[in-house]
Amino acid sequence: MPEGTLELNGPSRDVLARVDGDRDVAAIVQELLQEYEGAQEAEVRTDVLALLQDLKQRGVVRERT
């Protein structure tokens, strides 16, 4: 992130730690569901996609084509 810092904690940090270019969103969601017992898949997917979209807009991550 140019000229700034990005502070992540909790689930956001857990999502970003899994963004490695090999895992897709579905794999990240499945791993988080195992880590956060009782979480709802649809809610986790929505949250992951929202976080990734925000990080993409900030230039932290980019979509692989």
Side-chain angles (χ1 to χ4, degrees), residues 8 11-20 23 28 31 51:
L8 298 174
S12 297
R13 183 178 50 222
D14 295 337
V15 171
L16 191 57
R18 289 171 168 81
V19 176
D20 60 5
R23 292 178 182 98
I28 292 171
E31 289 181 22
L51 175 64

Side-chain angles (χ1 to χ4, degrees), residues 14-64:
D14 295 337
V15 171
L16 191 57
R18 289 171 168 81
V19 176
D20 60 5
D22 291 324
R23 292 178 182 98
D24 60 11
V25 170
I28 292 171
V29 168
Q30 289 306 310
E31 289 181 22
L32 292 171
L33 287 171
Q34 291 176 6
E35 186 169 335
Y36 291 92
E37 190 173 319
Q40 299 297 314
E41 184 172 352
E43 188 174 330
V44 171
R45 182 182 325 307
T46 298
D47 291 348
V48 167
L49 289 171
L51 175 64
L52 292 175
Q53 181 63 31
D54 181 52
L55 294 175
K56 181 180 171 185
Q57 289 174 344
R58 294 173 184 238
V60 175
V61 298
R62 64 178 175 201
E63 195 169 349
R64 189 167 59 172

